[in-house]
Amino acid sequence: MVIAIDGPAASGKGTLSRRLADRLHFAHLDTGSLYRAVGLAVLRAGGNPSDAAQATEAAYALHPETTPLVLADPALRADEVASAASQVAIVPAVREALLAFQRDFAAYPPGNARGAVLDGRDIGTIVCPDADAKLFVTASVEARAERRLKELRERGVPVIYAAVLEDMRERDARDSQRAVAPLKPAADAFLLDTSSMNADQALDAAISFICSKTGLSDHCA
Ligand code: CDP
């Protein structure tokens, strides 16, 4: 069984996906970390993430199946890496290079899990269009900027709200206006606006949708 979770930055989709996977005993893939890994590789090589050739080379050099540590690197979480990720993500050849890994993960979840939760921007539309349940998680840009601000400050990064908001708007625009795999809800996705929900409320809403859609019952209580 495959659960597809899409949505913009800091919408709460990462936390929701992790908790869903825990609850359902499914494997979880944060596909944003693949794009971050490509962006980080280009930055570390002293390159330019908006250069399509450099980004493509880095994407084909990435082997997440043999080096899972790549996806656990704390450096992936830096804001400049998020920005580099959204630049490399525009390049069609980069997306193509990462597609097979994502689809394999969904078809053969590691650890013999009986299902997979994938989160990203194009899971329900491109990567897994036949997913058993699709959610599109949103929140107002202000609510998302507040969350990102809190997360960065908790990590000791000195930031101001206006800069985080501006960065969020820029990344939203780049993600939703790009020609290839733009951020948009699949026609059959359940829209979950988490602007005024905490993580528990978002999880409850997601679980009840997934259970009604898929007939899963053993983890729905
Ligand atoms: O955690 P956050 O939402 O800030 O970002 P992320 O999910 O780690 O994704 C970083 C960037 O990768 C996004 O801004 C997208 O441009 C890109 N991305 C994508 O294009 N397709 C995906 N399936 C996942 C991420």
Side-chain angles (χ1 to χ4, degrees):
M1 184 173 290
V2 177
I3 313 286
I5 315 260
D6 292 302
S11 54
K13 67 183 186 321
T15 305
L16 176 63
S17 304
R18 263 191 311 279
R19 295 185 64 185
L20 270 176
D22 268 3
R23 171 81 79 94
L24 303 172
H25 304 297
F26 282 14
H28 170 228
L29 179 64
D30 161 14
T31 64
S33 60
L34 299 171
Y35 292 90
R36 286 172 181 260
V38 175
L40 180 61
V42 175
L43 293 177
R44 280 190 173 151
N48 174 4
S50 59
D51 180 305
Q54 292 176 23
T56 304
E57 196 186 324
Y60 278 102
L62 183 74
H63 297 294
E65 61 279 53
T66 50
T67 49
L69 278 181
V70 171
L71 303 185
D73 187 339
L76 294 182
R77 299 293 120 208
D79 249 25
E80 61 272 23
V81 176
S83 174
S86 81
Q87 293 172 52
V88 301
I90 290 175
V91 180
V94 168
R95 306 200 70 85
E96 184 60 35
L98 302 180
L99 200 53
F101 177 75
Q102 298 174 77
R103 287 188 174 152
D104 274 2
F105 188 100
Y108 311 104
N112 268 335
R114 60 177 184 155
V117 178
L118 280 78
D119 78 85
R121 301 289 189 286
D122 61 341
I123 309 303
T125 49
I126 311 273
V127 179
C128 302
D130 298 327
D132 300 272
K134 302 177 185 178
L135 286 101
F136 192 85
V137 185
T138 57
S140 68
V141 69
E142 292 81 9
R144 293 186 286 116
E146 285 284 359
R147 287 177 194 164
R148 185 49 52 93
L149 183 76
K150 188 162 166 267
E151 188 189 321
L152 290 169
R153 287 195 174 150
E154 278 168 7
R155 275 198 265 137
V157 183
V159 277
I160 55 164
Y161 176 74
V164 176
L165 181 65
E166 177 57 29
D167 180 63
M168 195 71 66
R169 288 204 164 111
E170 237 174 61
R171 201 139 64 92
D172 279 358
R174 196 150 52 215
D175 286 353
S176 26
Q177 288 161 16
R178 68 183 176 215
V180 183
L183 171 70
K184 66 163 195 248
D188 51 350
F190 174 69
L191 295 187
L192 183 62
D193 187 329
T194 65
S195 303
S196 53
M197 283 184 184
N198 62 31
D200 286 342
Q201 292 166 324
L203 180 67
D204 287 347
I207 288 276
S208 75
F209 165 70
I210 291 167
C211 289
S212 67
K213 176 88 188 174
T214 64
L216 253 188
S217 56
D218 46 339
H219 295 281
C220 296

